[in-house]
Amino acid sequence: MQNSVTPTHCPYCALQCGMNLTPAPDGTVEVSERADFPVNRGALCGKGRTAPAVLSSRVRLTSPLVRSGGTLVPAGWDEALDRIAEGLSRTRAEHGPDACGVFGGGGLTNEKAYTLGKFARVVLGTSQIDYNGRFCMSSAAAGGMKAFGLDRGLPFPLEDIPKSGCVILVGSNLAETMPPSLRFFTELRENGGTLIVIDPRRTKTAEQADLHLMPRPGTDLALALGLLHLVVAEGLVDEEYVRERTAGWEDARAAAMAHWPEYVERITGVPVPQLRETVRLFCEPESAMVLTARGPEQQSKGTDTVSAWINLCLATGRAGRPFSGYGCLTGQGNGQGGREHGQKADQLPGYRKLDDPAARAHVAGVWGVDPDSLPGPGRSAYELLDALGTDIKSLLLMGSNPVVSAPHAAHIEERIKSLDFLAVCDVVLSETAALADVVLPVTQWAEETGTTTNLEGRVLLRRQAITPPDGIRSDLEVMHELADRLGVEKGFPTDAEEVFEELRRASAGGPADYSGITYRRLADENGVFWPCPTEDTVVHPGTPRLFLDRFATPDGRARFVPVSHRAIAEEPDEEYPVLLTTGRVVAQYQSGAQTRRVDELNAAAPGPFVELHPRLAERLGAAEGDPVAVVSRRGRAVAPARITLGIRPDTVFMPFHWYGEGRANTLTNPALDPTSRMPEFKACAVRLETVER
């Protein structure tokens, strides 16, 4: 394996860009272009180019750590695994299985996510498992299930975007969050199509748009309803499509008609002429798409907001037709596959529902257990974290850093500190791992083989390119060893392909059917789109485009969902008069646990900042670079001012990659969407204060 070129995929975002890795004589790993992968055609962002830097022993964990006298100290693997097994066993004996929690991550491979869900339910017998992907696209998933009967981020490949006539991009700054994807939108415009960007900031993505709408944060639902009102009022409904391929239109129509343009302008701040122009640009061409991201989804009404955008697509005949439809731009590397195979609180492998008796029977049969032994649905991610130290006494955490990434983060940090026992598996000593009783160093993307599922629903094979350092084990080995210590000697293989073969059987017949996908097919075909129910490539080559003939509902019709505008959970008032919204910057990723350890990325984005409009800065008396305190009902964060005309005067923006006094998620509101249980990261009330230094 050494000194050979290995085709594989980037460890970061949901594009899962293709790259080649070559071990160098000095022990480093070189990244080179892999032009054959259609998602990025060789292009990589700075995070992808520098990804091997985290493989260095200078920044990574190289030994298990155990807490001794209040300090984490190196230990052997047997001691560390014994401590975890003892901690979990003690909790189960004293408080019952549901006192053991499991928290996973959207960066885990399909094999790890599958095994983690199985470990929680078969070995620990706990219902208390969820993952940080709940904070990614759960609202889009819920909206997609309601409308289409199936949730897959994009129901079409990215290569369809340039062939569309118009794309409305809602709440996504993909020029920074997934830069290689921007070329699809550039090609869209080169082909004569139109790009409409909806964002309260004039981001690098918005600068590429033909039309940029800047709504007040938290008003995307009203905006979508206002557009649908205009579609109806101007006679632009595709009546034949609505009649033949949908159900529920009359109720959705009535709800939308209550949102007349002037009313929507007052709510959103988007002028009526821009609303009318958006409808014209969207409805004139033969094909059009709506793509949403975290902006409209990370709200306490995120599911309804997604439903409103889907309703717009359905009313205009834009779903289930070539180069048209609704899609979600998944954020995390395996956010799609991560929830399909069992690490989400209410799901079993294959996107089966945990409370469905037939689903329980099928998966239990694969696992060789009694269906009645499987626990029921547990708490969602934030609710699980909020219960730490009270109902949940011990936690096993893999591939997540909630001390930085969770809303109301200072509170969650205290909940984590109150645990009787915490074990963390990670590649670096994250802020969360630093609080653990035991930390296990695990293999990384380039050191292991496994599959991920990108934002298109394309299942991919990440190949091992290098041998991990001595003393590092894989997450699969960890779960195998823990299962053995906890009395389950079989059913937890350490070989990723063996796990995938079991995953195939467990997913067979489910909504996310991987049963026809094999490692050989993934290597030969550069990925396979699910569902794929048979290995015969002639009979079933995979499904790159969903819903062209029928939707995944019992009668094949898409469902309109009637929704109405409602306020965010915490509107500005006299004490907290400004809106805060959060997001990412191009040089950092998620909680920054890995990217903040890369010198080149830190040089480009060294720390947090507060982005604010000049008028707001003038009222505050703040100049560029001055420290500014942002205060919410949950806490206080301080960061330098970045003054720009590219943001609404009533809004401030903070990136969420950092810990310490600039931690944006100290401020954010954990108010949950009633359906998806998504927290309201994207809008909360704050006030600004100057800071003496």
Side-chain angles (χ1 to χ4, degrees):
M1 187 180 302
Q2 297 291 333
N3 300 318
S4 61
V5 176
T6 302
T8 189
H9 296 273
C10 177
Y12 290 117
C13 83
L15 290 179
Q16 289 294 281
C17 291
M19 58 170 60
N20 288 320
L21 298 182
T22 306
D26 63 359
T28 60
V29 179
E30 296 177 355
V31 174
S32 59
E33 179 179 303
R34 181 183 166 193
D36 69 313
F37 188 59
V39 169
N40 64 311
R41 300 178 198 164
L44 293 169
C45 72
K47 294 185 291 290
R49 286 189 296 99
T50 61
V54 187
L55 299 168
S56 168
S57 59
R58 181 177 65 86
V59 300
R60 72 179 302 166
L61 291 167
T62 57
S63 169
L65 304 173
V66 299
R67 192 162 297 279
S68 176
T71 304
L72 287 171
V73 298
W77 271 94
D78 283 339
E79 178 186 357
L81 290 165
D82 286 345
R83 283 208 189 187
I84 297 174
E86 290 166 4
L88 295 173
S89 294
R90 185 169 57 251
T91 295
R92 282 197 303 170
E94 294 178 2
H95 304 285
D98 273 357
C100 294
V102 177
F103 200 82
L108 300 181
T109 63
N110 289 318
E111 293 81 359
K112 294 177 185 178
Y114 171 84
T115 303
L116 188 62
K118 182 180 179 181
F119 180 88
R121 294 173 176 116
V122 172
V123 178
L124 297 179
T126 183
S127 66
Q128 300 304 303
I129 175 172
D130 211 79
Y131 82 128
N132 63 14
R134 176 78 66 172
F135 301 155
C136 179
M137 58 177 291
S138 57
S139 293
M145 290 296 293
K146 286 184 177 185
F148 308 130
L150 187 68
D151 156 42
R152 197 179 83 184
L154 293 180
F156 40 72
L158 285 163
E159 65 191 34
D160 281 5
I161 290 172
K163 302 170 186 175
S164 187
C166 177
V167 174
I168 299 178
L169 187 61
V170 191
S172 173
N173 183 16
L174 53 81
E176 296 201 60
T177 59
M178 45 183 67
S181 70
L182 188 62
R183 68 175 178 80
F184 293 105
F185 299 88
T186 302
E187 291 173 11
L188 164 77
R189 299 183 69 206
E190 290 172 348
N191 292 342
T194 302
L195 175 62
I196 301 170
V197 170
I198 298 173
D199 198 302
R201 304 167 60 224
R202 186 160 183 79
T203 63
K204 292 181 180 179
T205 306
E207 290 172 356
Q208 310 299 314
D210 297 283
L211 179 62
H212 175 207
L213 311 185
M214 297 180 72
R216 184 173 175 267
T219 63
D220 309 89
L221 174 53
L223 180 60
L225 287 163
L227 297 176
L228 183 53
H229 176 112
L230 286 170
V231 165
V232 175
E234 297 180 13
L236 298 173
V237 175
D238 188 331
E239 300 287 358
E240 181 181 0
Y241 174 94
V242 168
R243 183 171 57 254
E244 294 181 356
R245 297 204 62 186
T246 74
W249 166 233
E250 289 305 319
D251 288 342
R253 177 186 182 279
M257 294 313 289
H259 299 77
W260 58 94
E262 291 76 14
Y263 171 58
V264 170
E265 178 179 322
R266 289 200 301 272
I267 294 170
T268 65
V270 177
V272 170
Q274 287 192 352
L275 299 176
R276 296 188 183 279
E277 179 68 358
T278 299
V279 168
R280 184 186 71 80
L281 293 172
F282 185 69
C283 292
E284 275 187 353
E286 184 177 346
S287 58
M289 299 174 177
V290 172
L291 304 178
T292 67
R294 305 302 78 74
E297 298 164 16
Q298 286 182 327
Q299 298 181 27
S300 60
K301 51 186 173 178
T303 302
D304 283 359
T305 303
V306 167
S307 293
W309 287 107
I310 292 175
N311 288 348
L312 179 67
C313 291
L314 294 177
T316 53
R318 304 307 203 183
R321 284 179 168 172
F323 315 124
S324 291
Y326 166 79
C328 164
L329 298 172
T330 308
Q332 295 190 81
N334 198 31
Q336 181 71 50
R339 72 179 182 284
E340 291 170 359
H341 299 299
Q343 65 172 335
K344 197 175 176 188
D346 58 349
Q347 286 174 199
L348 287 170
Y351 221 130
R352 288 181 160 90
K353 300 296 289 183
L354 189 54
D355 56 5
D356 177 359
R360 293 169 66 87
H362 174 84
V363 174
V366 174
W367 288 351
V369 299
D370 184 342
D372 291 337
S373 71
L374 298 178
R379 292 175 172 89
S380 70
Y382 181 80
E383 292 165 305
L384 189 157
L385 295 171
D386 189 42
L388 299 180
T390 53
D391 293 340
I392 299 173
K393 305 294 186 181
S394 293
L395 182 69
L396 173 64
L397 185 146
M398 288 188 171
S400 186
N401 189 17
V403 164
V404 177
S405 63
H408 200 358
H411 169 70
I412 295 304
E413 183 173 359
E414 290 305 311
R415 301 309 329 136
I416 289 172
K417 289 177 178 177
S418 72
L419 282 164
D420 292 347
F421 182 80
L422 172 64
V424 173
C425 300
D426 210 329
V427 299
V428 297
L429 190 66
S430 70
E431 288 78 10
T432 305
L435 302 177
D437 297 284
V438 180
V439 183
L440 299 181
V442 291
T443 50
Q444 299 185 55
W445 58 289
E447 301 164 346
E448 60 187 12
T449 294
T451 63
T452 61
T453 306
N454 81 344
L455 78 170
E456 308 165 295
R458 189 194 307 250
V459 186
L460 305 167
L461 182 62
R462 276 195 202 157
R463 299 169 175 88
Q464 182 179 356
I466 59 173
T467 302
D470 292 339
I472 306 295
R473 300 188 185 181
S474 74
D475 296 279
L476 295 180
E477 291 175 298
V478 168
M479 287 184 278
H480 171 87
E481 291 290 339
L482 290 176
D484 185 59
R485 283 167 168 80
L486 292 167
V488 181
E489 298 177 359
K490 296 182 179 180
F492 290 87
T494 60
D495 178 76
E497 188 169 5
E498 186 178 348
V499 174
F500 191 78
E501 288 299 303
E502 183 178 305
L503 181 157
R504 292 175 59 205
R505 297 195 302 276
S507 74
D513 191 334
Y514 283 35
S515 59
I517 303 174
T518 65
Y519 271 32
R520 178 177 292 278
R521 283 194 67 175
L522 294 178
D524 291 346
E525 300 172 39
N526 223 347
V528 178
F529 291 86
W530 71 259
C532 183
T534 176
E535 289 184 51
D536 189 324
T537 59
V538 176
V539 173
H540 207 296
T543 314
R545 295 170 182 87
L546 296 169
F547 312 139
L548 294 180
D549 299 317
R550 67 190 312 275
F551 295 97
T553 56
D555 60 5
R557 291 173 174 266
R559 302 288 192 267
F560 282 96
V561 178
V563 293
S564 296
H565 168 70
R566 64 180 186 274
I568 59 175
E570 186 180 74
E571 289 282 355
D573 56 24
E574 289 186 4
E575 188 177 1
Y576 300 96
V578 177
L579 280 166
L580 167 71
T581 192
T582 64
R584 287 166 48 189
V585 297
V586 66
Q588 301 289 354
Y589 180 72
Q590 303 302 75
S591 76
Q594 296 182 47
T595 51
R596 284 187 276 114
R597 287 166 167 81
V598 179
D599 292 341
E600 179 181 328
L601 301 179
N602 275 334
F609 56 86
V610 181
E611 187 177 279
L612 67 164
H613 191 275
R615 294 211 300 268
L616 187 54
E618 183 179 5
R619 290 202 303 271
L620 183 65
E624 179 76 15
D626 284 353
V628 171
V630 184
V631 184
S632 78
R633 289 178 173 85
R634 288 154 295 281
R636 185 174 190 266
V638 178
R642 183 173 294 183
I643 301 172
T644 173
L645 289 167
I647 191 168
R648 290 176 56 97
D650 58 1
T651 300
V652 295
F653 166 84
M654 290 187 71
F656 60 79
H657 309 291
W658 289 273
Y659 184 63
E661 70 171 2
R663 179 174 59 185
N665 278 320
T666 296
L667 309 167
T668 48
N669 191 350
L672 301 180
D673 180 288
T675 302
S676 68
R677 316 309 288 169
M678 168 73 84
E680 193 151 65
F681 287 99
K682 288 300 180 186
C684 70
V686 298
R687 68 171 181 264
L688 305 183
E689 299 172 350
T690 55
V691 178
E692 296 294 332
R693 287 290 170 94

